[in-house]
Amino acid sequence: MGAQGSVPEGVHVVVVGGGFGGIAAAQQLKSSGVRFTLIDLKDAFHHNPGALRASVQDGFAQKTFIPYAETFGESFTQGRVVLVEPEGQRVVLEDGQEVLYSHLILCTGTEGTFPGKYTSPSSTQTAVQRYQDLLQQIQAAGSVLVVGGGVTGVEMAAEIKTEFPDKKVVLVHSRIPLADPGLLASVRQQAKEVLMEKGVELVLGQKLLGLEGVELNVTRRNQLLTTDQGTEIRADLVISCTGQRVNSAAYASGLADWVAEDGSLKVNPHLQVGSHPNIYAVGDCANIQEPKMGYHAGLHAAVAVSNITNSLSGKDLCTYSTGSVTMLVALGRDAGVGQFNGCRLPRIAVVLGKSKDLLLWKSWRDMGQTAP
């Protein structure tokens, strides 16, 4: 499939969502000479692992947004997909535009609270400014409460304490173990130890009450919050790192028969959705029992694109199987924990492998562009 002429006429792959899975799929389609359209509501790929550092380091946010158009040209369309119609083989955008497809790759990812997730249909300039605004709020606060002790919350607390060691940082988590359940118990314990070394105060096994009434990401002096066990916490600034959910809005009605309880799409080992052999789900929106990571989304994308090209040439389809969890958790620019293929890594290996630059270089390379 290396040349445009080898692709049958009428083949047009639509990729919905330009996260890690989406850009991996688009780049592979481009290399294979397959006509495609990548659709995303933003004008730039967001290197999400850098989102939290963008909240604490001046100027860092700009580096985390990489323009789609410079990489994909006319094969990129900015917009929000509101309907997938398998019968007509089309997707419909919010502005009424319709895009026909022969094959569809859904990479809609997850959505959640800012700053861990940025899913607004805005320009890069607006997005960067929002991170700069949060940085100013953090700078103005004497104390910060981080709600949620998953990977995002752990990394957020560590980033703040690393850049602003004199600020009081409290992390509240409804469970005792921190970070991702897919990590080894020893790695999760190590994450806790690093946070304590940095001076983060931990309130574990308690649920914060009344969060819905708190204005997030805005400094309000000496706010009083209480947990379900009566623990009182005072903070000037509250940042929520909870509530990530699968972004199913684009396909919830058109593919309703194949939507799992959590909003993800039920796929077979070839990553095909239900009874639709020309529709694939990649990344967080695929109902695969493994941690939601950009690394996995890239692996899914390779399988989906290979299966599209294989189906066009009559070859057997590839299958995707999960393996041992590999995950690196950056705890500020100078610390981190993680594991590779189920084995715990030395902290220095994580610092050198991820924490120092959060793998920004890789996304710029993958997009074929030079970082500013």
Side-chain angles (χ1 to χ4, degrees):
M1 303 306 299
Q4 183 71 43
S6 65
V7 180
E9 187 176 349
V11 172
H12 178 224
V13 181
V14 170
V15 181
V16 178
F20 282 99
I23 64 166
Q27 284 287 40
Q28 290 168 53
L29 290 164
K30 182 179 177 181
S31 298
S32 299
V34 177
R35 189 166 70 96
F36 71 93
T37 297
L38 172 67
I39 304 173
D40 195 89
L41 54 82
K42 301 186 296 297
D43 63 4
F45 166 75
H46 185 208
H47 181 79
N48 189 251
L52 306 177
R53 191 161 300 170
S55 307
V56 299
Q57 278 191 13
D58 188 29
F60 194 85
Q62 186 69 50
K63 303 175 187 177
T64 66
F65 289 90
I66 309 174
Y68 290 120
E70 290 189 24
T71 299
F72 301 116
E74 294 182 357
S75 294
F76 168 68
T77 294
Q78 185 176 2
R80 184 192 298 274
V81 173
V82 294
L83 177 66
V84 171
E85 192 179 83
E87 293 76 16
Q89 294 192 180
R90 63 175 187 146
V91 299
V92 180
L93 276 60
E94 196 170 37
D95 62 3
Q97 181 182 355
E98 298 182 0
V99 183
L100 299 177
Y101 65 82
S102 62
H103 301 78
L104 178 65
I105 303 178
L106 294 166
C107 317
T108 57
T110 51
E111 54 188 359
T113 54
F114 179 83
K117 287 288 183 179
Y118 190 87
T119 55
S120 300
S122 61
S123 66
T124 295
Q125 182 179 0
T126 300
V128 169
Q129 187 58 53
R130 191 169 178 193
Y131 280 102
Q132 286 294 114
D133 291 345
L134 179 56
L135 170 59
Q136 292 177 5
Q137 297 296 321
I138 293 173
Q139 289 172 329
S143 55
V144 183
L145 171 60
V146 177
V147 184
V151 170
T152 303
V154 165
E155 291 187 333
M156 183 78 263
E159 290 286 354
I160 297 171
K161 198 64 177 174
T162 300
E163 298 303 320
F164 305 100
D166 293 335
K167 294 187 186 296
K168 177 182 178 180
V169 178
V170 181
L171 184 148
V172 177
H173 188 42
S174 59
R175 299 181 178 89
I176 299 295
L178 293 169
D180 194 282
L183 288 167
L184 297 169
S186 61
V187 176
R188 302 177 80 180
Q189 176 63 26
Q190 199 174 44
K192 178 180 177 180
E193 292 168 0
V194 173
L195 290 179
M196 294 175 67
E197 288 171 12
K198 286 180 174 286
V200 176
E201 298 179 25
L202 302 176
V203 181
L204 305 179
Q206 301 184 43
K207 183 178 180 181
L208 196 71
L209 302 177
L211 184 61
E212 62 278 358
V214 175
E215 188 174 10
L216 301 174
N217 305 328
V218 176
T219 295
R220 297 280 185 265
R221 297 291 176 191
N222 208 31
Q223 302 173 87
L224 178 62
L225 298 102
T226 308
T227 72
D228 59 353
Q229 294 185 24
T231 302
E232 294 186 342
I233 304 168
R234 290 193 178 272
D236 298 337
L237 177 64
V238 181
I239 299 175
S240 177
C241 296
T242 64
Q244 286 199 19
R245 58 197 176 279
V246 176
N247 183 9
S248 61
Y251 56 76
S253 59
L255 294 170
D257 290 345
W258 308 107
V259 177
E261 188 174 340
D262 66 353
S264 61
L265 286 162
K266 300 174 183 177
V267 294
N268 64 19
H270 308 303
L271 302 185
Q272 295 163 313
V273 177
S275 60
H276 304 285
N278 64 332
I279 301 179
Y280 295 81
V282 160
D284 295 354
C285 70
N287 186 29
I288 299 174
Q289 300 308 306
E290 62 184 4
K292 305 296 187 184
M293 297 167 52
Y295 170 72
H296 290 147
L299 297 178
H300 298 175
V303 171
V305 173
S306 293
N307 284 339
I308 289 173
T309 56
N310 285 352
S311 69
L312 296 174
S313 57
K315 296 180 181 178
D316 291 339
L317 300 186
C318 305
T319 59
Y320 178 80
S321 57
T322 58
S324 299
V325 173
T326 293
M327 187 184 302
L328 306 180
V329 181
L331 297 172
R333 53 187 158 75
D334 58 358
V337 300
Q339 64 191 54
F340 178 77
N341 283 343
C343 297
R344 190 175 76 181
L345 291 168
R347 284 166 54 171
I348 186 61
V350 182
V351 171
L352 297 175
K354 181 181 181 182
S355 301
K356 289 182 69 174
D357 64 3
L358 300 176
L359 299 173
L360 262 172
W361 62 270
K362 185 177 185 303
S363 286
W364 283 94
R365 184 199 68 185
D366 292 348
M367 291 285 280
Q369 298 183 43
T370 302

